[in-house]
Amino acid sequence: MDSINKQKILIIGAGGGREHALGWKIAQSPRAGQIFFAPGNAGTERIGTNVDIKSNDILKLLDFAKKEKVDLTLAVSDEPLYLGVVDEFRKRGLRIWGPTKAASQIEWSKVFSKDFMHRHNLPTAEFQTFSDYQKAKYYAMRQSLPVVIKVDGLAFGKGVIIANTHDEACKAIEDILVKKIFSDSGNEVVIEEFLIGPEISIHVLSDGINYKIFPSSQDHKRIGEGDTGGNTGGMGVIGPLPFVNKEIMEKIEKEIIAPTLRAMEEDGIPFEGILYPSLMLTTDGPKIIEFNARFGDPEAQTYMRLLDTDLLDILDACVDKKLDKIEIKWREKFACNIALASGGYPGNYEKGKIIGGIDEAEMQPDIIVFHAGTIMKNRTLVTNGGRVLGVSATAGTLEEALKKAYKAIDKISFEGMQYRRDIGKKALAQILILK
Ligand code: AMP
Ligand code: GLY
């Protein structure tokens, strides 16, 4: 073992459960050396070294990677990608995994992404884009309800408004284009058709030439049970989905994944990294809701519990454009990851609440607790964000995995803790007849 050349890794992200899960998996590689997290949380601190640099401070990150002689950096959240972290690292000869600024535009500009889908005939909701308030309003008033209004740029998960009345739609457009509540992110809006069907997450790893599709998964974005209340970063993920069979996955590959990656290459922006489209399985076939240019959170946590191949080997193969040379194996299991959030989230919430019971939860079989908004204060673990922890479980069936996760959650407590008790319920009841 000593002869193995250990790699120093830097994970640049949002300090959430996704980053903890990726680090947790990488730490299992015999080739993993020190793992740095910028910024990290109390969970990442246990498996590596937290670095007090914000993920949007690209210059400081560059200096750090150089000084520490980091062998491989992973860019895993949207903001640094938008700021061109991959381009900047490469310019200085540093090895980094993730899409370029131009390729990640597929996530950070909804106008770009919708135009791209339109130009390449990719299946998505009917839409128009506007920068003029009067024209946008005129168009919105003529659409059937509900109608979807989207802010062009990054909006921290608050940029999609599903308007149930024309008044609501006009108010949203005014807020964005006139009142500028999203500042320059809202210089343009997309107005689009409301799609109906189960929403699923697809992750595909691409090195710009080859690609590998991950099993299907599903997030639960609303705070409330029965998909009610405000949108969140994601309250729970399950995977693989029992209602997404091989035929559906093949259809998704043929109609969405392969043509998208080909189109990006044709446009001179080959995609390297994780491309994560959210899809709606409509009665007209799968349609793209949006593209993300990174791992989902908590999708990543679920995938890391299912992955059976060394993640470092996979990422190295990806950076070296040799994804065709590696087989990605998945455990024959189902996994879930359920978010435990602060009281008040996704609105205002308090921090600094003492967290108890993680060790007891992890003593139960097949449970791993990933940290998100956590910090050590005076040797005590306390809450430090909206989504605080993710409790993940694996089992031979989805029902069993969920049962295990909820049983483990019973051991964990902090003041105001809230979570959805219906994760996976809809998927278990889903019977899908797809065209
Ligand atoms: P986002 O904040 O971009 O992740 O989008 C939030 C959520 O809005 C998505 O996860 C969908 O559930 C919903 N959504 C976005 N676009 C549409 C659409 N065209 N039809 C129906 N729901 C949509
Ligand atoms: N799972 C939602 C997201 O990462 O955007």
Side-chain angles (χ1 to χ4, degrees), residues 164-219:
N164 288 307
T165 65
H166 287 118
D167 273 357
E168 243 180 82
C170 293
K171 185 180 173 303
I173 295 166
E174 190 183 349
D175 283 347
I176 301 163
L177 291 179
V178 182
K179 294 191 182 155
K180 297 291 225 181
I181 65 167
F182 295 98
S183 60
D184 282 352
S185 277
N187 287 343
E188 289 184 86
V189 290
V190 172
I191 302 179
E192 71 176 28
E193 168 200 13
F194 181 75
L195 297 175
I196 296 168
E199 187 175 346
I200 70 167
S201 300
I202 294 293
H203 281 51
V204 50
L205 179 67
S206 167
D207 63 8
I209 303 162
N210 314 283
Y211 67 85
K212 304 268 181 181
I213 301 181
F214 288 11
S216 60
S217 65
Q218 183 169 54
D219 194 2

Side-chain angles (χ1 to χ4, degrees), residues 55-356:
S55 66
N56 60 11
D57 198 339
I58 309 298
L59 285 179
K60 270 200 186 149
L61 291 166
L62 274 169
D63 283 346
F64 178 83
K66 274 224 144 124
K67 193 174 106 243
E68 285 293 337
K69 298 194 169 59
V70 167
D71 296 291
L72 177 65
T73 298
L74 315 180
V76 303
S77 65
D78 54 7
E79 201 186 6
L81 294 175
Y82 165 67
L83 295 170
V85 68
V86 171
D87 312 64
E88 296 304 322
F89 268 59
R90 286 197 185 145
K91 253 190 242 162
R92 285 160 183 82
L94 294 167
R95 210 155 167 270
I96 185 163
W97 174 84
T100 59
K101 177 168 178 142
S104 62
Q105 194 172 354
I106 201 155
E107 169 165 7
W108 57 256
S109 170
K110 297 247 195 267
V111 170
F112 171 87
S113 142
K114 290 297 291 195
D115 284 343
F116 170 85
M117 290 185 244
H118 182 64
R119 258 186 300 122
H120 294 284
N121 259 320
L122 296 164
T124 187
E126 292 294 325
F127 74 102
Q128 291 272 347
T129 62
F130 299 92
S131 53
D132 182 276
Y133 170 57
Q134 294 300 341
K135 284 184 187 154
K137 216 169 89 169
Y138 183 84
Y139 177 81
M141 289 301 283
R142 275 148 195 80
Q143 302 310 303
S144 53
L145 296 168
V147 60
V148 183
I149 316 287
K150 294 185 173 180
V151 174
D152 174 42
L154 287 183
F156 304 102
K158 301 207 161 39
V160 176
I161 299 102
I162 297 175
N164 288 307
T165 65
H166 287 118
D167 273 357
E168 243 180 82
C170 293
K171 185 180 173 303
I173 295 166
E174 190 183 349
D175 283 347
I176 301 163
L177 291 179
V178 182
K179 294 191 182 155
K180 297 291 225 181
I181 65 167
F182 295 98
S183 60
D184 282 352
S185 277
N187 287 343
E188 289 184 86
V189 290
V190 172
I191 302 179
E192 71 176 28
E193 168 200 13
F194 181 75
L195 297 175
I196 296 168
E199 187 175 346
I200 70 167
S201 300
I202 294 293
H203 281 51
V204 50
L205 179 67
S206 167
D207 63 8
I209 303 162
N210 314 283
Y211 67 85
K212 304 268 181 181
I213 301 181
F214 288 11
S216 60
S217 65
Q218 183 169 54
D219 194 2
H220 296 67
K221 291 204 174 163
R222 306 292 199 92
I223 187 69
E225 283 163 27
D227 297 329
T228 55
N231 245 329
T232 70
M235 293 303 290
V237 164
I238 51 166
L241 300 173
F243 60 85
V244 175
N245 58 25
K246 204 162 151 260
E247 286 72 51
I248 299 174
M249 283 306 278
E250 279 169 6
K251 198 173 162 77
I252 290 169
E253 175 172 9
K254 188 164 146 261
E255 294 177 10
I256 292 171
I257 303 305
T260 298
L261 292 172
R262 205 180 314 124
M264 291 190 82
E265 206 195 337
E266 272 168 32
D267 285 3
I269 45 165
F271 192 90
E272 293 164 66
I274 288 281
L275 183 68
Y276 148 28
S278 289
L279 307 181
M280 205 70 105
L281 302 181
T282 75
T283 49
D284 284 336
K287 292 198 180 180
I288 303 157
I289 297 262
E290 63 175 6
F291 284 110
N292 298 295
R294 54 174 172 80
F295 269 107
D297 181 343
E299 281 87 344
Q301 293 86 312
T302 305
Y303 286 128
M304 291 309 110
R305 293 301 311 275
L306 293 170
L307 186 62
D308 208 13
T309 305
D310 184 322
L311 180 60
L312 196 49
D313 288 349
I314 297 174
L315 296 175
D316 272 333
C318 190
V319 173
D320 295 339
K321 300 192 186 300
K322 287 182 181 157
L323 261 189
D324 54 330
K325 301 280 187 298
I326 194 162
E327 189 190 352
I328 301 184
K329 289 198 190 122
W330 299 96
R331 297 168 66 200
E332 298 277 317
K333 298 269 179 202
F334 290 84
C336 65
N337 183 83
I338 299 168
L340 306 182
S342 295
Y345 175 79
N348 295 332
Y349 54 84
E350 290 176 7
K351 294 180 181 177
K353 308 291 181 196
I354 295 170
I355 304 168

